[in-house]
Amino acid sequence: MEAMRILLVDDVHLERMQLAMRLQRLGHIVEAVSSGHEAIERYPLFDPDLLLLDISMPNMSGMEVAHKIRSDHLEWVPIIFLSGHDEPEMIAKAIDMGGDDYLVKPVNKIVLASKLKAMQRIAAMRHQLKQATVKLEEVNELLSQQVNEDGLTQIANRRFLDKKLAEFISWHGRHELSLTIIMIDVDHFKDYNDYYGHLDGDRCLQLVSGALKTNFSRAGELAARYGGEEFVILVSNCDKTRAVKECERLKSSINGLAIPHFQSATSNIVTVSQGMVSWVPTGLETAENMYQIVDKVLYKAKEQGRNRFVVAEFT
């Protein structure tokens, strides 16, 4: 079995050193301290597999140390109390205070070795459980990412967008702050697909979404694929003046990609049209009616020649 990390706490120097040497000879890694306060300080830094804790210590008893550690640390680590007393009432009280076992001092060598073997089995199971938990968390994170991420563009999908927009509306309504929604449509994308093919069409959407993600990746911002060649940007705590600048920045960023589009009636490169609404929510708006508002102004941007943005008049 693997060596354990044992935190030994005993205020009597000679007893502490003797027991530490015995533990080390059994192949374990030992951190020996002389007080309860020192044990509490060292505990998270040393990260022990086992705590050997003397009950009778000045200033802070072993039972008080055990209670503090059990209160402050969620992860369970076995505690074996050490004491010169073998009264049943003392043993029962020690277990009630968070202990898992009890050894009477002076500790018998055979009993100590046997107890440690049992604790090693527990430590091995704890390590296996921790590894399994880490793997489970990784799987859950991957599943969450797959559920919330658009497979093609690697940005948030419509499902996640709907959820976040509802949260943004509620939060901004409570705090009376401006919220901005920008809806984006890739201009003449059907013509692009027909001329260049669907694989190049996919690459075009990936480049556009990459630019959106790069430009809107700060806290309180979200870039998402709305559907097809349409995208939506959410910008928290953003009033109309700043929102206009964000639309201009977005337009320049997409034009800066310089993706050839010789079938476009607007430009010889890929461009986008934008509809934008910026307002202080009441908290009662729904995601669906806000999509309808911003979609109408996006349509106006298309009617006016594309490669531009139009701002919704929203009160």
Side-chain angles (χ1 to χ4, degrees):
M1 293 186 184
E2 290 186 6
M4 287 188 294
R5 298 173 63 82
I6 301 176
L7 180 58
L8 170 62
V9 190
D10 195 324
D11 64 309
V12 180
H13 177 76
L14 182 59
E15 293 181 359
R16 183 173 70 251
M17 291 300 99
Q18 287 176 339
L19 185 52
M21 289 175 63
R22 288 168 63 184
L23 295 171
Q24 289 168 343
R25 281 199 294 267
L26 288 169
H28 301 292
I29 302 164
V30 182
E31 177 88 356
V33 298
S34 61
S35 71
H37 292 292
E38 193 177 355
I40 289 169
E41 182 181 323
R42 291 298 304 161
Y43 184 89
L45 303 173
F46 184 62
D47 189 23
D49 297 306
L50 174 64
L51 182 60
L52 287 179
L53 182 56
D54 187 24
I55 286 182
S56 301
M57 295 187 293
N59 300 320
M60 191 176 199
S61 72
M63 292 188 186
E64 291 174 315
V65 174
H67 180 72
K68 177 69 173 171
I69 285 174
R70 291 291 189 234
S71 300
D72 292 351
H73 302 279
L74 294 177
E75 186 179 358
W76 174 83
V77 170
I79 296 175
I80 297 179
F81 280 115
L82 305 171
S83 176
H85 301 278
D86 60 357
E87 298 89 349
E89 294 79 11
M90 177 68 80
I91 296 173
K93 185 178 180 182
I95 299 303
D96 288 341
M97 291 299 291
D100 300 289
D101 209 335
Y102 194 96
L103 283 171
V104 178
K105 297 193 295 184
V107 180
N108 180 278
K109 293 180 180 180
I110 296 174
V111 173
L112 177 64
S114 298
K115 296 279 187 182
L116 292 180
K117 283 182 181 178
M119 292 299 132
Q120 278 181 286
R121 289 194 287 266
I122 293 172
M125 286 188 287
R126 283 183 58 248
H127 291 164
Q128 290 172 5
L129 181 59
K130 286 173 74 172
Q131 290 172 355
T133 301
V134 169
K135 289 180 181 178
L136 182 60
E137 288 174 351
E138 290 173 352
V139 170
N140 286 337
E141 185 177 349
L142 179 60
L143 288 174
S144 176
Q145 181 178 331
Q146 290 174 341
V147 167
N148 296 323
E149 190 177 88
D150 178 66
L152 175 66
T153 60
Q154 310 295 293
I155 61 174
N157 60 19
R158 173 67 183 274
R159 175 184 177 278
F160 189 68
L161 170 65
D162 291 349
K163 176 174 175 285
K164 296 307 289 184
L165 178 53
E167 291 175 3
F168 273 36
I169 289 171
S170 176
W171 189 86
H172 285 77
R174 271 199 318 274
H175 296 277
E176 298 182 348
L177 295 172
S178 293
L179 171 62
T180 291
I181 306 174
I182 306 170
M183 184 173 280
I184 303 136
D185 183 83
V186 180
D187 294 330
H188 308 291
F189 186 70
K190 182 180 182 304
D191 296 327
Y192 187 97
N193 254 343
D194 291 343
Y195 183 76
Y196 293 98
H198 289 284
L199 287 178
D200 278 350
D202 286 349
R203 281 191 283 271
C204 173
L205 293 179
Q206 289 168 341
L207 288 170
V208 170
S209 64
L212 299 182
K213 187 174 182 179
T214 298
N215 282 279
F216 297 95
S217 59
R218 294 165 293 191
E221 299 177 343
L222 178 70
R225 189 180 183 189
Y226 184 75
E229 68 272 21
E230 290 187 321
F231 300 87
V232 166
I233 302 293
L234 304 181
V235 188
S236 176
N237 194 16
C238 176
D239 61 15
K240 185 175 177 179
T241 301
R242 178 189 160 197
V244 167
K245 294 178 180 178
E246 297 292 359
C247 288
E248 291 171 343
R249 187 165 67 92
L250 191 154
K251 176 183 174 181
S252 297
S253 179
I254 300 300
N255 289 347
L257 294 174
I259 305 169
H261 189 354
F262 296 113
Q263 298 302 303
S264 171
T266 302
S267 173
N268 61 0
I269 59 172
V270 168
T271 59
V272 298
S273 298
Q274 305 173 60
M276 181 267 282
V277 59
S278 183
W279 87 112
V280 177
T282 64
L284 301 176
E285 299 89 345
T286 66
E288 199 56 42
N289 63 33
M290 295 314 304
Y291 290 144
Q292 290 173 358
I293 290 170
V294 75
D295 184 61
K296 286 180 181 177
V297 290
L298 171 61
Y299 187 75
K300 289 182 180 179
K302 294 179 184 178
E303 283 187 320
Q304 293 176 15
R306 304 178 194 259
N307 192 24
R308 67 191 64 223
F309 60 89
V310 172
V311 180
E313 295 301 324
F314 188 87
T315 56

